[in-house]
Amino acid sequence: QVQLVESGGGLVQPGGSLRLSCAASVFSLDYYFIGWFRQAPGKEREGLSCISGREGSTHYADSVKGRFTISRDNAKNVVYLQMNSLEPEDTAVYHCATYVGCSQPMAPPLSWGQGTQVTVSS
């Protein structure tokens, strides 16, 4: 079973940036579709971004397109989410997850980590 551990969350002012990391206990990221979703209190889970296995193609939800960037380091088996121009509405627990594929809208996740809290506030 894939284990995913997120880190990098915290408190940031509006307009600020954060980079989240997701360490995956896998042999190789080439065989997985890994992405990020967030969950805010009282709101539905929102899929944000996904990066495909072999090709490394990326996909984004409209709400974060142009602000968030997903990337990966195959040597370290780590997937990143660079978040810029953060807004209070981005406050949520962010989870990385595995998916059956990358698509828009994003499919339900197969497995996910505990998450990391991101709070955007002045």
Side-chain angles (χ1 to χ4, degrees), residues 40-109:
K43 294 186 178 181
E44 293 186 356
R45 181 181 62 218
E46 181 185 11
L48 303 174
S49 182
C50 184
I51 186 164
S52 64
R54 292 188 178 277
E55 300 83 11
S57 59
T58 58
H59 305 258
Y60 298 95
D62 289 342
S63 61
V64 302
K65 197 173 295 182
R67 298 191 300 128
F68 291 9
T69 303
I70 191 170
S71 62
R72 65 184 185 182
D73 185 332
N74 284 358
K76 297 180 179 179
N77 283 347
V78 176
V79 176
Y80 302 100
L81 186 68
Q82 177 67 43
M83 306 186 297
N84 299 328
S85 302
L86 285 164
E87 306 164 350
E89 294 73 23
D90 295 315
T91 295
V93 178
Y94 285 68
H95 299 264
C96 67
T98 60
Y99 293 86
V100 66
C102 289
S103 62
Q104 285 299 327
M106 289 176 64

